[in-house]
Amino acid sequence: MKKLTELVRGIRHIQDPVTYNLNAYQKLLGKVNATKFESLSNSALQALSAELKILARAGAALDDLLVQSFVLVRESARRVSGLRPFDMQVIAGMVLHQGKLAEMQTGEGKTLAAVMPAYLHALTGQGVHILTFNDYLACRDAGWMGPIYEFLGVSVGYIQEKMSVAARQRAYAADVTYVAAKEAGFDYLRDFLCMEKEKIVHRPFHFAIVDEADSILIDEARIPLVIAGDIGEKEETVRSLPNILRNLKAGTDYMVDPYESNVYFTDSGLVRTEELLGCGNLYAPHNLELLTCLNSALYAEALLSRDKEYIVRDDKIELVDEFSGRVAAKRHWSRNLQAAVEAKEGALSKSQGKIMGSIALQHYLGLYPQISGMTGTACPAAAELGEFYGLEVVVIPTNAPCIRMDSMDRIFACAETKNNAVIGEIKRIHAKGQPILVGTGSVEESEMLANALEREGAPCQVLNAKNDEMEAAIIAHAGEFGAVTVSTNMAGRGIDIKLGGADEVDRKRVTAVGGLYVLGTAWHDSRRIDQQLRGRAGRQGDPGESRFFVSLEDDFLKRYDIASLIPQRKILPPLLEGEAVDPAVAQAALNGRKMVEGFLSDIRRQLWRYSFIIEQQRRIIHQKRQDVLMDKAPLALLPAKAARQFSSLKTTMGEGALQKLEKQLTLYFINCCWAEYLEYMTCERESIHLVTIGEKDPLTEFHRIAIETFDAMVEDIDAKIIEAFEAIKGKDDFDQLIIKTTGPSSTWTYLVNERTNDFGKISALLKSAFRYIIQS
C-alpha cells in the first residue's frame, strides 16, 4: 500500500512549464538555413532520404539526423506541394521532435510543421502516429501531407471509423499514420478482445504527435473509451418511467439545486412516486435497480435539455460536445442515463450491453514512450500538461505580428438586455460590410439568434450540430464582405476563415473594413475555448476584432449562482437602463471564472488518483492476455490442476486440441472476469464517499478494495477455466464450449460522458469561494 501511495503522489512536475526563450532553437535553425539542397535533383533528394533511413535503423541518434532531415522535408514540400515551411514552423518541428508542446496561433501552419518531426521519427521504421481531433482531419491531413512523405520514400496511412481490420492493419503498418485519438484508443480496446493474433491491428507504440493537444490531453482526457459486447440487456424499466415523472411537480415533489447540477426527490415526492409505481418502499433492497433507474430518469427529465446537451436526429439521441459544439460521435451517457434520455424523447434505443474493456484517453496516451503536441491555446493548461504528461510548453511566435483587437468583455444583468445588445452590435458591424462570426453557447441559442436577426433584416448563415454536413460550404463564405455567420463552438477550433471568401477574391475590400469580427455570446468553463473562438480572426497578420457579450443569466454564470452573490445595487441600475453592469462586477465574475477552472482542474486531478490504480491493474491484465494471445506464456493450468480430466480427454480429443482449448478459455475468462471487475469497481467508485461517515479516507479505502478485488479476480480466472473444463463430458460438450468461449456475438465502441456529475461535486465549494471573492 505504501508503494502504491507513493506512485499515486508521484505526479510529474515541471518547474517552469512554459518557455518563451528560443535561443537554443535559433542556433539549430541557423544550421538548417545554412544547409542548401535546392541544387539537388529529385532522385538525389530521394537517395539522401534512403541513406538517412539506413542510418536511423542502424541506431544513429535522431538528433544527429535532424538538420538534414528537416532540410529534406522543407525542400521536398516546396517541390511537391508548393509549401515551404518558414522559420517558425521549423522551430515548432524541433519542439515536437523533443517531446514538447508547441503553442502556435491560428493559421500558422501546424499541419505542415508536424511533417518534419514525423518524418525524422519515421526513419526508424517503428511508426509515428499523428493523433487528430476527428476522422475528417485524419483523412484531410494524410491526403494533404501524404505526397511529401511519399516523395521521400516514407509510407503514410490514415484510419477511418468504418475501415475493415485488414485496412486498419495496413494503415498502422505505415511509417506515418494519421488517426483520430479516440479511434486509435478504440482499436487498442478491440485488440484486447482479439481471440486470434492475426487480427491485431496495432503494433508496438513508438512516437505520437497530438494535434489540438489541449483539447485531447485535457478536455477529452478523462472521457472513458468503452468497448461493449451484446448480451441482450433490456431497459424496459427505464422506458416506462417518463410518464410517471410527468405527474410530479418541480419544487414540490423534487428539487433542483441552485446550480442546476443535481436533482433529488423530496420526502413527499418519494411517497407520491411509490404510490404511482405501486412498488412499496423504494429503498428496499429488491427495489435498488428501480431506484437507480428512477434517479437517472429524473435527472434526464429535469436537467438535460434538447438542443442544448443533445439533439434528436433520425430518431436517435446525439450528444452535443460542449467544447466543440459538434455532435459528439459515439458518445453516450453512463449507465441508465442514456436509456432515460432515449425514453424521454421516445427515441430508438440500443442497449449498452456488457462493458468488456475501457480506457481513458489520458491513460491510452500514456502508452506511447514519447508524445508531443501542438495547439493554439497551450499556456492556460501548461501546469496540467506538465503535471500529467511531463510536457513543457514552448511558445512559437507568429510569422507575422498579430494585429487583432480583443476588446473587453461586456457583462449584462439579464439575458434580454444582452440579446438586444448582441443584435444591435451585429447590425452595426453588418452595416459597414465587415464579416462577422457569432459564437453561441448552444444549438438552441444559435437558432433563436438567427430568427431574431432575420426579423431585424440581417439574414445569416447558421452552423450547428443539426447541419454539420454543411460546415465546409458555410465556412467558405464566412469571410466574405457583409457575411453574418451564427455558429456554436463548431467554428471555434480548427476552422480557417479566409478574408474575402474561400478564393479571397474580395480580400482587400474586407481588410479595409477591419477584417473578421468575432462576437461570442457565452462564456465557457475554460477560457481556452473562448480564446480558440477569438483566434478565428487575425490569422497570419490579418486585421480582425473580437469581443464577448455575456449576461448574469447565462448558463455558466447561473450554474454557480454568481448573480445572487452580487449586491443588487450594482445590478439594478444597468438592468433598468439596458446597459452593461459595473466593471467591478465584471472583474468579480472573471475572478470567479478563474476559480471554476481551478476547481475543475482539481476534479481532474482527483479523478486521476482514483483511476490510477485501475489503470495499473489494466496494464497487468492486458500484458497477461497479450502474452497468452501471442504464445509467449506457456499454458499448463489444465494438466496441473485438472490432471485426471486432461488425461481422459487427451486420448479422445488429442493434446493439440486441448492446448488450443486452454488458450481460448484463458483469453475468454480474462475478458469476462475483467469486465465483471470493471462493473464492480464502478459501483464502488460511485458509493465510496459514504466511508467518510466512518471517518475513513475514500481514496485509501478505494485503493484497498481495488487491490483485494483484483487479487481475487486473478484467482477467479483460473477457477473458472478449470470449472468449465471439468464440465466437459464428451465431444459435444467440447464443441459447445469452443463456440461459447469465442466471445460476444457483436461489439461496439462509445465514449462515456461523465461531466454530468462534475458540477454537483463542487457546487458548495464554489459558492463559498465566490462569496469570498466578491464580498472582499
Side-chain angles (χ1 to χ4, degrees):
M1 180 67 74
K2 181 180 178 182
K3 183 178 180 182
L4 176 64
T5 303
E6 290 172 355
L7 282 170
V8 172
R9 290 176 178 169
I11 302 176
R12 287 167 285 193
H13 180 69
I14 291 179
Q15 192 68 30
D16 186 2
V18 181
T19 296
Y20 295 90
N21 189 333
L22 302 180
N23 289 342
Y25 298 105
Q26 292 286 0
K27 291 179 182 178
L28 196 54
L29 176 66
K31 295 180 180 180
V32 170
N33 288 336
T35 305
K36 307 293 184 182
F37 286 164
E38 289 92 339
S39 61
L40 296 181
S41 64
N42 287 354
S43 58
L45 289 177
Q46 292 163 343
L48 180 55
S49 181
E51 290 176 17
L52 292 180
K53 189 181 295 185
I54 293 171
L55 289 172
R57 297 184 184 187
L62 294 185
D63 285 351
D64 297 336
L65 306 181
L66 184 146
V67 171
Q68 284 191 310
S69 67
F70 275 40
V71 178
L72 263 178
V73 172
R74 205 179 205 186
E75 180 59 23
S76 300
R78 183 185 67 82
R79 297 186 187 188
V80 172
S81 63
L83 302 170
R84 182 182 184 275
F86 50 75
D87 286 354
M88 290 301 106
Q89 287 174 300
V90 173
I91 289 179
M94 296 173 185
V95 169
L96 295 174
H97 159 66
Q98 291 181 339
K100 298 180 181 181
L101 200 150
E103 180 177 273
M104 300 177 70
Q105 297 304 310
T106 303
E108 292 297 302
K110 292 187 286 290
T111 306
L112 181 58
V115 175
M116 291 173 280
Y119 167 75
L120 175 57
H121 284 260
L123 292 173
T124 65
Q126 295 175 279
V128 173
H129 291 176
I130 298 184
L131 301 176
T132 64
F133 194 72
N134 54 40
D135 275 5
Y136 165 74
L137 293 174
C139 178
R140 185 202 71 178
D141 294 352
W144 189 13
M145 300 291 111
I148 302 172
Y149 294 113
E150 290 165 355
F151 177 83
L152 293 170
V154 170
S155 58
V156 62
Y158 64 92
I159 300 291
Q160 299 285 275
E161 181 182 340
K162 295 183 179 179
M163 276 185 171
S164 66
V165 169
R168 289 173 186 271
Q169 289 172 330
R170 288 192 296 271
Y172 282 122
D175 296 316
V176 178
T177 306
Y178 287 82
V179 54
K182 64 177 182 293
E183 195 62 30
F186 286 141
D187 280 331
Y188 179 76
L189 291 175
R190 280 186 279 259
D191 281 352
F192 178 74
L193 295 185
C194 278
M195 302 297 285
E196 302 169 27
K197 58 186 176 183
E198 291 78 17
K199 292 185 178 180
I200 289 178
V201 299
H202 271 299
R203 54 174 168 158
F205 296 123
H206 173 227
F207 177 64
I209 298 174
V210 185
D211 194 10
E212 301 295 354
D214 64 314
S215 181
I216 292 174
L217 297 176
I218 301 297
D219 300 331
E220 300 277 327
R222 284 299 317 146
I223 297 175
L225 307 170
V226 170
I227 185 166
D230 188 2
I231 58 172
E233 290 182 342
K234 301 296 182 183
E235 291 162 341
E236 296 302 325
T237 303
V238 176
R239 300 195 71 79
S240 66
L241 294 176
N243 290 334
I244 299 290
L245 293 175
R246 286 173 189 138
N247 289 304
L248 305 182
K249 294 181 180 180
T252 302
D253 297 318
Y254 62 86
M255 303 290 289
V256 177
D257 73 7
Y259 313 98
E260 297 188 1
S261 58
N262 275 326
V263 59
Y264 51 90
F265 287 103
T266 62
D267 290 342
S268 61
L270 279 171
V271 172
R272 178 161 170 72
T273 303
E274 288 168 351
E275 292 173 353
L276 291 168
L277 288 170
C279 63
N281 183 1
L282 270 168
Y283 285 90
H286 65 274
N287 280 330
L288 181 59
E289 181 181 352
L290 174 60
L291 180 62
T292 302
C293 294
L294 188 63
N295 284 327
S296 294
L298 181 62
Y299 192 103
E301 187 71 30
L303 296 180
L304 297 179
S305 303
R306 186 170 180 164
D307 291 343
K308 283 189 176 181
E309 287 82 12
Y310 64 92
I311 63 172
V312 180
R313 183 163 58 181
D314 298 330
D315 203 24
K316 294 180 181 178
I317 300 295
E318 296 185 331
L319 275 66
V320 177
D321 184 86
E322 63 180 299
F323 297 112
S324 68
R326 303 172 189 275
V327 165
K330 301 172 74 172
R331 184 86 49 92
H332 288 185
W333 281 292
S334 57
R335 302 181 71 80
N336 293 308
L337 189 55
Q338 178 75 21
V341 177
E342 290 168 344
K344 171 186 173 182
E345 298 291 350
L348 292 174
S349 176
K350 179 179 182 180
S351 167
Q352 291 187 24
K354 184 84 168 181
I355 293 178
M356 306 300 294
S358 176
I359 188 171
L361 265 177
Q362 180 177 1
H363 296 311
Y364 170 74
L365 293 166
L367 299 173
Y368 289 89
Q370 185 180 12
I371 65 170
S372 60
M374 49 191 183
T375 181
T377 46
C379 284
E384 280 191 75
L385 291 165
E387 187 174 351
F388 292 114
Y389 301 97
L391 285 172
E392 178 184 349
V393 174
V394 180
V395 178
I396 309 297
T398 54
N399 191 47
C402 179
I403 60 174
R404 184 184 68 238
M405 295 187 296
D406 295 327
S407 302
M408 286 187 62
D409 298 347
R410 297 186 68 192
I411 301 182
F412 297 85
C414 69
E416 183 181 1
T417 304
K418 181 196 79 170
N419 292 338
N420 291 336
V422 166
I423 292 171
E425 183 74 352
I426 293 172
K427 290 172 66 178
R428 182 182 72 83
I429 297 299
H430 179 58
K432 61 178 183 176
Q434 187 175 6
I436 183 167
L437 172 68
V438 186
T440 63
S442 68
V443 173
E444 181 183 53
E445 186 184 4
S446 68
E447 294 181 340
M448 288 174 58
L449 181 58
N451 291 333
L453 289 173
E454 186 76 31
R455 291 193 297 269
E456 293 289 332
C460 63
Q461 291 290 317
V462 181
L463 175 61
N464 60 37
K466 289 185 176 180
N467 66 341
D468 49 6
E469 72 282 355
M470 299 173 61
E471 178 178 353
I474 292 174
I475 292 300
H477 296 288
E480 293 177 353
F481 187 85
V484 179
T485 308
V486 176
S487 176
T488 57
N489 283 352
M490 287 181 65
R493 189 186 284 271
I495 296 297
D496 188 9
I497 298 176
K498 296 182 178 180
L499 300 188
D503 55 5
E504 301 186 79
V505 66
D506 223 5
R507 177 180 173 79
K508 289 184 178 179
R509 192 180 179 197
V510 172
T511 300
V513 294
L516 182 67
Y517 186 106
V518 171
L519 194 159
T521 69
W523 277 350
H524 299 90
D525 292 353
S526 171
R527 284 170 293 163
R528 289 182 289 106
I529 311 302
D530 296 347
Q531 289 175 17
Q532 286 283 351
L533 180 61
R534 291 185 190 272
R536 298 315 101 195
R539 60 182 288 277
Q540 295 187 359
D542 285 344
E545 300 177 53
S546 73
R547 169 168 256 169
F548 275 76
F549 286 44
V550 298
S551 88
L552 296 178
E553 292 182 344
D554 287 353
D555 286 346
F556 173 81
L557 293 151
K558 209 165 80 175
R559 187 182 297 143
Y560 304 108
D561 204 20
I562 295 174
S564 68
L565 305 178
I566 301 172
Q568 287 297 304
R569 59 185 171 77
K570 290 183 177 271
I571 298 177
L572 193 56
L575 175 60
L576 296 174
E577 297 169 14
E579 296 294 331
V581 298
D582 190 312
V585 174
Q587 185 59 48
L590 180 59
N591 290 340
R593 190 179 190 196
K594 294 176 182 177
M595 289 292 292
V596 171
E597 293 175 346
F599 277 108
L600 292 178
S601 176
D602 287 344
I603 283 180
R604 289 191 288 266
R605 190 172 290 106
Q606 184 71 354
L607 289 173
W608 184 89
R609 291 190 173 102
Y610 275 97
S611 67
F612 178 86
I613 187 171
I614 305 296
E615 171 57 16
Q616 302 314 305
Q617 292 170 338
R618 189 202 61 76
R619 293 192 183 196
I620 292 170
I621 208 72
H622 184 276
Q623 189 59 55
K624 176 182 174 70
R625 192 183 191 283
Q626 195 75 354
D627 289 344
V628 172
L629 181 64
M630 305 305 290
D631 300 316
K632 294 180 180 179
L635 297 175
L637 178 66
L638 297 183
K641 299 293 184 179
R644 181 178 298 179
Q645 176 80 329
F646 189 87
S647 178
S648 172
L649 291 175
K650 180 179 176 181
T651 57
T652 57
M653 308 304 302
E655 186 171 1
L658 294 184
Q659 290 173 343
K660 182 178 179 181
L661 175 63
E662 181 172 358
K663 178 178 179 179
Q664 184 161 318
L665 287 175
T666 304
L667 295 174
Y668 175 78
F669 283 115
I670 285 175
N671 290 346
C672 290
C673 291
W674 179 246
E676 291 168 3
Y677 172 78
L678 287 177
E679 187 172 359
Y680 177 79
M681 290 310 299
T682 298
C683 294
E684 285 292 336
R685 174 69 184 90
E686 291 178 354
S687 61
I688 198 66
H689 63 281
L690 295 175
V691 304
T692 57
I693 298 172
E695 298 184 351
K696 294 180 180 180
D697 174 54
L699 182 61
T700 301
E701 192 67 10
F702 183 78
H703 287 162
R704 182 190 64 77
I705 295 170
I707 292 170
E708 292 176 357
T709 309
F710 182 79
D711 290 343
M713 180 204 70
V714 172
E715 294 178 4
D716 200 33
I717 291 172
D718 289 352
K720 288 188 174 182
I721 293 170
I722 294 170
E723 181 185 359
F725 181 68
E726 291 188 331
I728 298 174
K729 303 301 182 184
K731 188 176 186 307
D732 287 345
D733 289 344
F734 182 92
D735 293 340
Q736 286 298 316
L737 187 58
I738 288 287
I739 295 171
K740 176 185 175 182
T741 56
T742 54
S745 58
S746 65
T747 63
W748 62 93
T749 55
Y750 60 89
L751 299 98
V752 177
N753 192 75
E754 291 188 324
R755 290 189 56 82
T756 51
N757 297 321
D758 288 353
F759 297 116
K761 297 173 184 175
I762 63 169
S763 57
L765 289 170
L766 283 170
K767 184 172 182 178
S768 61
F770 285 136
R771 186 177 298 279
Y772 172 78
I773 290 171
I774 293 172
Q775 290 182 348
S776 61

